Amino acid sequence: RSPDSAHLIRIAADGYQYATSQPIQDSEKEVVLDFALKKGKEITGIVYSPDNKPLPDVEVAVSTPTTTVYIQNGKASTNQSFLRTQTDAEGRYRFVPPPEPYLVVVAHPSGCAEVRAKDLVVSTKIQLAKWGRIEGALRVGKKPCINQSVCIQVVRGRDDEDGRTWLSMLSCSEQGKTDAQGHFVFERVLPGSMIMDWGADPESGAGGGPRIFVEVKPGETTRVDVGGNGRPVIGHVLHPKDVGKIDWKNERTTCMLKPNSSETPAPKG
């Protein structure tokens, strides 16, 4: 463990806003902490399914910039320290808002919801939308890309109220592989804007093909087909003589085509 590692301590109690300590370094031998909890005004409402039925025993997660909710395969992670509560038999939830910007997230087999703090001021009803779905195929020319990694992740715009991006308060990504025909499917996708990377390496985080922005609608399937057209480009890469021998089999190299400016007509006006 690095000597610079730090930890946070969070204290929570019913009816109060939670309090979080300053970062505590591993190198600190003895630390004294005092917490003064502040009473908070409880928010309560009902969670409804996409067909407008109250949903009992559903987890309601509260995501913040410091405790981000992570959704994968249609479920919120269970090993994170974000604030969470469970709906009762009538589908009612209750929680005291945190002392920082937050986003309420619900992920259920029937659907999902993202509700900003300012929207809960208008209405505490949480209405789930149906999951979206993405399917498509990867090809190089006419050949299918077999067993290639495909990754999608959520994209959110800027929140006008507090200047923070939704992305900082919600993490949602899915990873899959193409089959023998180059096809891929994501069954439960958060509606909204997504980024798709293909041929990416989840271990190193390195991207493969170009990023594609995909708009997913609730209850609908979005088709994404990559490749299948164009033509092969064959060439030889030259490197400076003073670089030495390069192991091309294990070297990751990106090549980009540069248009010939002398043959490209200038735009009019």
Side-chain angles (χ1 to χ4, degrees):
R1 180 183 290 180
S2 169
D4 296 328
S5 296
H7 305 273
L8 298 174
I9 295 178
R10 174 166 291 169
I11 304 296
D14 291 341
Y16 292 84
Q17 292 183 337
Y18 62 69
T20 306
S21 71
Q22 74 273 14
I24 303 170
Q25 304 296 329
D26 281 356
S27 56
E28 297 182 74
K29 294 182 179 180
E30 184 175 338
V31 179
V32 177
L33 298 173
D34 292 318
F35 293 90
L37 300 185
K38 297 180 180 180
K39 278 189 171 292
K41 185 177 179 181
E42 187 178 69
I43 291 179
T44 180
I46 296 177
V47 178
Y48 291 88
S49 66
D51 55 0
N52 211 34
K53 294 179 180 179
L55 284 174
D57 198 32
V58 172
E59 182 179 87
V60 177
V62 181
S63 189
T64 71
T66 56
T67 54
T68 303
V69 172
Y70 179 62
I71 296 178
Q72 191 170 36
N73 297 324
K75 297 180 180 178
S77 173
T78 58
N79 60 353
Q80 292 176 286
S81 60
F82 53 77
L83 176 64
R84 65 184 83 203
T85 185
Q86 210 79 7
T87 59
D88 61 19
E90 284 73 44
R92 182 169 294 278
Y93 66 89
R94 304 174 189 275
F95 70 90
V96 174
E100 57 181 326
Y102 68 91
L103 182 73
V104 175
V105 181
V106 180
H108 183 263
S110 68
C112 54
E114 308 165 58
V115 185
R116 293 176 291 178
K118 66 179 182 180
D119 296 328
L120 283 179
V121 175
V122 179
S123 173
T124 58
K125 174 182 178 179
I126 297 180
Q127 179 76 57
L128 301 193
K130 292 183 178 180
W131 293 100
R133 184 175 181 272
I134 294 178
E135 70 170 310
L138 298 181
R139 297 182 179 87
V140 174
K142 301 298 182 182
K143 296 181 179 179
C145 295
I146 301 172
N147 201 35
Q148 282 283 344
S149 298
V150 183
C151 176
I152 58 173
Q153 60 182 353
V154 70
V155 180
R156 288 293 177 263
R158 185 166 293 278
D159 188 330
D160 296 332
E161 181 183 21
D162 50 40
R164 295 178 183 269
T165 60
W166 285 25
L167 186 59
S168 68
M169 290 192 279
L170 178 63
S171 177
C172 178
S173 64
E174 308 286 345
Q175 293 177 353
K177 293 275 189 180
T178 57
D179 62 16
Q181 286 74 45
H183 295 149
F184 61 87
V185 177
F186 295 100
E187 295 291 351
R188 289 182 181 174
V189 181
L190 205 64
S193 298
M194 307 290 289
I195 289 177
M196 191 184 87
D197 287 306
W198 62 275
D201 183 358
E203 296 295 328
S204 65
R211 282 187 164 186
I212 297 174
F213 287 86
V214 182
E215 192 67 27
V216 180
K217 295 182 179 180
E220 296 185 15
T221 296
T222 300
R223 181 80 191 185
V224 181
D225 290 309
V226 180
N229 50 25
R231 59 183 179 180
V233 176
I234 301 174
H236 185 72
V237 178
L238 301 176
H239 62 85
K241 296 181 180 179
D242 58 350
V243 170
K245 188 177 181 180
I246 296 178
D247 183 4
W248 292 108
K249 289 184 178 180
N250 297 313
E251 183 73 21
R252 182 178 176 83
T253 304
T254 302
C255 298
M256 298 180 65
L257 294 177
K258 182 178 180 180
N260 189 334
S261 56
S262 62
E263 296 179 2
T264 304
K268 295 181 179 180

